[in-house]
Amino acid sequence: MSSICWQLFFTFFKIGAFTFGGGWAMISLIEKEIVDKYGWIEREEFLDLLAVAQSLPGILAVNIAVAVGDKLRGNRGAAAASLGTILPSFLIILSIAIFLTPELIKNNPTLSAIFKGVRPAVVALIVAPVISSARSAGIGLKTMWIPIAVALLIWSKLPVVSNPILYIVLGGFGGWWWLSRHTDTGADRQPDSRKGGERK
């Protein structure tokens, strides 16, 4: 593999190995590595990628890893990044299955204390990317009600309105509608040749 593929592998391996909670808990580390440290993608592009990765089936971190790897080195980059993301979890779960039984984990006060201490950190790792994503998306006082309302409706567990797929479709349609209403056509942007002639 090329050097960039190894770099992708080790970067996402580190993210997968030192992130508890998965999903949104990984976003802060992924953003810091691929946007701030290496500059592989721009922050706005990362926000768009995050929205797409959430909408697609599968694991959020793996979806992002595949997209970043594919952009940098095609199929090889996608394979290296996704393998780096998955491998730490696989090895950790395999080790737990071999050496630790559920009874041992449940009755071990040291392990219980460690997991209880990790929980607040996981919450912070989840909240941080939510706030940064909201800022990057331009969510302000006028639009804050949209994510709050959607979150409450999903949390309500009502038969139809609690389905996340509904809001993914509505969000995509709403973005298309807004863009079609607020984007000038090429004809509107072209200067009128009949006006503004040069004068001497």
Side-chain angles (χ1 to χ4, degrees), residues 92-178:
I92 291 171
I93 294 299
L94 183 62
S95 301
I96 290 174
I98 294 173
F99 298 108
L100 296 177
T101 62
E103 292 76 14
L104 179 60
I105 297 174
K106 184 178 180 180
N107 298 325
N108 191 315
T110 302
L111 290 176
S112 299
I114 290 173
F115 288 134
K116 287 181 180 179
V118 166
R119 288 173 188 171
V122 171
V123 173
L125 287 171
I126 294 173
V127 171
V130 170
I131 295 174
S132 62
S133 298
R135 289 176 178 175
S136 300
I139 295 177
L141 296 177
K142 293 182 179 180
T143 56
M144 190 181 297
W145 65 272
I146 298 175
I148 293 175
V150 171
L152 290 175
L153 288 170
I154 294 175
W155 178 72
S156 68
K157 304 296 183 182
L158 295 175
V160 177
V161 297
S162 63
N163 190 342
I165 298 175
L166 172 65
Y167 301 105
I168 293 172
V169 174
L170 289 177
F173 177 78
W176 169 80
W177 177 84
W178 185 90

Side-chain angles (χ1 to χ4, degrees), residues 7 13 15 29 99 111 196:
Q7 197 171 29
F13 186 92
I15 292 169
L29 290 177
F99 298 108
L111 290 176

Side-chain angles (χ1 to χ4, degrees), residues 4-25:
I4 189 64
C5 288
W6 282 111
Q7 197 171 29
L8 281 165
F9 174 80
F10 286 119
T11 298
F12 281 96
F13 186 92
K14 179 174 63 176
I15 292 169
F18 293 98
T19 304
F20 292 89
W24 275 94

Side-chain angles (χ1 to χ4, degrees), residues 43-127:
R43 197 170 302 278
E44 292 296 326
E45 187 180 0
F46 176 76
L47 184 64
D48 295 337
L49 176 60
L50 182 60
V52 174
Q54 287 180 284
S55 305
L56 294 174
I59 304 170
L60 176 63
V62 175
N63 290 345
I64 294 177
V66 169
V68 174
D70 181 70
K71 178 183 177 181
L72 296 179
R73 282 296 181 272
N75 292 335
R76 291 185 178 182
S82 58
L83 182 62
T85 307
I86 297 169
L87 193 58
S89 299
F90 174 77
L91 295 176
I92 291 171
I93 294 299
L94 183 62
S95 301
I96 290 174
I98 294 173
F99 298 108
L100 296 177
T101 62
E103 292 76 14
L104 179 60
I105 297 174
K106 184 178 180 180
N107 298 325
N108 191 315
T110 302
L111 290 176
S112 299
I114 290 173
F115 288 134
K116 287 181 180 179
V118 166
R119 288 173 188 171
V122 171
V123 173
L125 287 171
I126 294 173
V127 171

